[in-house]
Amino acid sequence: MAVIEVNDATKTYRRRRRPPQKALDGLDLHVAEGGVHGFLGPNGSGKTTTIRALLGLVRADSGELRLLGRPVPRDLPQVVGGVGALVETPLFFPTFSGRLNLQLLAETAGVSRVRVEECLELVDLQDRAEDRFKGYSLGMKQRLGIAAALLKSPRLLVLDEPSNGLDPAGIRDVRELIRRLGADGSTTVFLSSHLLAEVEQVCDRVSILARGKCVATGPVHEVLAGRATGEVRLRAPDLAGARAVLEGAGYAVTPVDGALRVQGVTAPAELTRLLADQGHYLEELSPVAADLESAFLELTEDTP
Amino acid sequence: MTDQRPSLLRAEVHRFRSRRFIRILVLLALGGFVVGLVIAGTQFAKPSAAGLADAQRIMAEAGQQQEQFRQECLKQPQPPGQTAEQTCGPPFEASGLGVEDFMRTKPFVFADTAPGAAGGVAAGTAALLFLIGATWVGAEWSSKSMTALLFWEPRRLKVIATKLAVLLGAAALIGAAAQALWLLGAKALAATRGSTGRLPDGFYGDLLAIQARGVLLVVVAGALGFALANLVRNTGAALGLGFVYFAVVENAVRVLRPKWEPGLLTNNAAALVSKDGLRLYLNETHVDGQGQLVSVREIVLSHLHGGVVLVLTAAVLVAVGGVLFARRDLQ
């Protein structure tokens, strides 16, 4: 079952004395239940608008949006109890303590105070829970936002840039928490992030957004495979001889750190046969993997 | 993880009670009320036997003097079309003055002061609730915690209606408490600095009616502050709008368009909490063949008029704010 479905959604912001801004341009998005789904896109690509439309904060001009199988915003009141969200900066009342801010939300949803304490402990804020929110560091505010998103023990957890303002230890903790939640089978994490490494490390699947459209989606390894570089790295006892053989066969070869990097390889087995025929036996042959950053840049730059 | 029923209303009551600025405002108002009562206490004094005798003597002398002037006046020819009574005034006994008017420090007379001051207390409490209403929702917008709440209760009209209901409930409680405090304070002043006086028939009925209408004024003022802050999404801007209206617009209307005075909020507020409504005297200029003539027209704004104008104004502003909130995209 899909926890998020967006079909052909459009949204244009009309602005005073400025041209309209098209934020979503026929967006299709499908997030399957379970695991961690990354949501990538450059600034202005429509990520936050998508999340806001799903949570009922902005109204899409057209298209169909579904959360946990129910159309939104119409059925949002019925499904919101299963959705936890942290969108951009955490929004809490500044003169209330962290604990009071959570308790007020908990009362709204009928969540117990025990759960409030559990969530505070989960994000390591129990010792500062009585401090006023406005006195919190950016990282503490972010952690409180994550605690609020977790209060409902949601089936779908929407996190928009959850690592903002966190120190390295905090980032590590949040990533571990996301991995753990995604792995427990009861929560699907929808993670919007500009940190490609974060998505690559944490997510099982990814959707890449550019100019209001989804330009790639699927398991992270498949998205990367789709952007295969066609490069291999190889080592042999006689690098100069091997290079001469390969260049003689028409390959572009570059020596790199005691190895050779060969471009334009569609069938690595062909290299093995070619070199062995000339008496060069390989010590290493490995594909040069595309990283998500390369794939992301390539995909988002290509979009018209 | 659910051990209690979800209740937006309970959460909003909790939120209202926890707002530090609102608590400070209420405490400051309470302090101001107590200080005002103490200052009022210094302006009145229970008459001593000697003071009373002195006042009675001065009153008798004044009566004799006035009667003397009156008799002399009656001997003069009267202007055509006027009776002697109209020209020279009533006999002294009927002039309405009491012995307390001739005392150096007057006693506090409950029957005379309590009803009028109840309207004043209502006006002060209304100003307090306008501020509370504005900050109650304005701070939610400034901190964007209003938006965060929608992740938990996406029915926007329910959210805004619940916040308004909490405010109106609090306004009614605060308004009623202020009137009860004034009643107690007036009784205390009467006991220590004056007297209850001879209470006219139906006095308490009239007083309670004024106080009840005062509570309505407080509730409407809270709704107005709330509605303005919800429209502009900022407490300061809402208070600025209120200042511009009350300090600039109303005075401009009084000077430039006196015919519009019956629609002014302060006039209608005064009409609502006054014992017999508000009498307005509007100058009307007529030009006839002989030049300009100015006549004065008397208009009485009834309690009902005042209440209807105030409630309708607040209702329209609340409704517009609610509809915009329900339709707007929130960033």
Side-chain angles (χ1 to χ4, degrees), chain A residues 11 52 56-59 80 91 93-94 96 100 104-105 107-112 115 118 132 148 151-152, chain B residues 1-4 6-7 10-11 14-15 18-20 143-145 148 151-152 154-156 329-331:
Chain A
K11 174 69 184 177
R52 288 182 181 281
L57 299 182
V58 304
R59 195 173 288 271
V80 78
L91 310 171
F93 201 75
F96 288 171
L100 179 57
L104 290 171
L105 295 175
E107 281 179 27
T108 304
V111 173
S112 73
R115 178 64 183 162
E118 282 175 6
R132 288 199 214 174
L151 267 183
K152 291 184 268 190
Chain B
M1 284 303 163
T2 300
D3 69 347
Q4 57 186 13
S7 175
R10 188 172 56 230
H14 188 177
R15 188 187 300 273
S18 304
R19 285 282 294 276
R20 181 185 294 255
S143 66
K144 293 193 173 180
S145 47
F151 298 159
W152 296 72
R155 286 169 287 204
R156 296 186 189 185
D329 286 343
L330 298 175
Q331 299 304 321

Side-chain angles (χ1 to χ4, degrees), chain B residues 259 282-297:
Chain B
K259 282 183 182 174
L282 304 180
N283 289 333
E284 291 186 339
T285 306
H286 306 283
V287 180
D288 61 10
Q290 301 187 351
Q292 261 192 352
L293 289 176
V294 176
S295 63
V296 176
R297 184 162 65 99

Side-chain angles (χ1 to χ4, degrees), chain B residues 4 23 26 28 36 38 46 66 68 134 147 153 173-175 196 227 253 280 286 292 311:
Chain B
Q4 57 186 13
R23 288 197 303 218
V26 172
L28 282 176
V38 170
K46 231 179 177 63
Q66 188 175 324
Q68 198 176 337
T147 306
E153 176 47 80
L173 276 178
I174 292 171
T196 304
V253 165
L280 289 174
H286 306 283
Q292 261 192 352
V311 170

Side-chain angles (χ1 to χ4, degrees), chain A residues 101-148:
Chain A
N101 270 300
L102 293 194
Q103 283 174 348
L104 290 171
L105 295 175
E107 281 179 27
T108 304
V111 173
S112 73
R113 292 202 170 190
V114 175
R115 178 64 183 162
V116 170
E117 297 306 316
E118 282 175 6
C119 289
L120 284 168
E121 194 176 341
L122 203 62
V123 296
D124 200 20
L125 269 181
Q126 67 273 42
D127 293 339
R128 302 289 302 275
E130 281 303 309
D131 292 0
R132 288 199 214 174
F133 178 72
K134 69 179 178 183
Y136 282 7
S137 68
L138 189 57
M140 290 164 70
K141 289 178 178 176
Q142 203 70 7
R143 274 148 57 198
L144 190 70
I146 293 170

Side-chain angles (χ1 to χ4, degrees), chain B residues 118-141:
Chain B
V121 169
T125 318
L128 171 71
L129 259 295
F130 182 85
L131 185 53
I132 289 177
T135 189
W136 166 232
V137 72
E140 296 279 312
W141 279 118

Side-chain angles (χ1 to χ4, degrees), chain B residues 43-60 62 97-109 193-195:
Chain B
Q43 305 303 305
F44 298 102
K46 231 179 177 63
S48 61
L52 187 63
D54 204 25
Q56 281 168 337
R57 182 181 54 76
I58 296 171
M59 186 170 93
L97 292 173
V99 69
E100 64 272 8
D101 295 312
F102 295 89
M103 291 178 176
R104 290 183 205 287
T105 306
K106 291 180 183 175
F108 178 89
V109 181
R193 294 282 190 271
S195 67

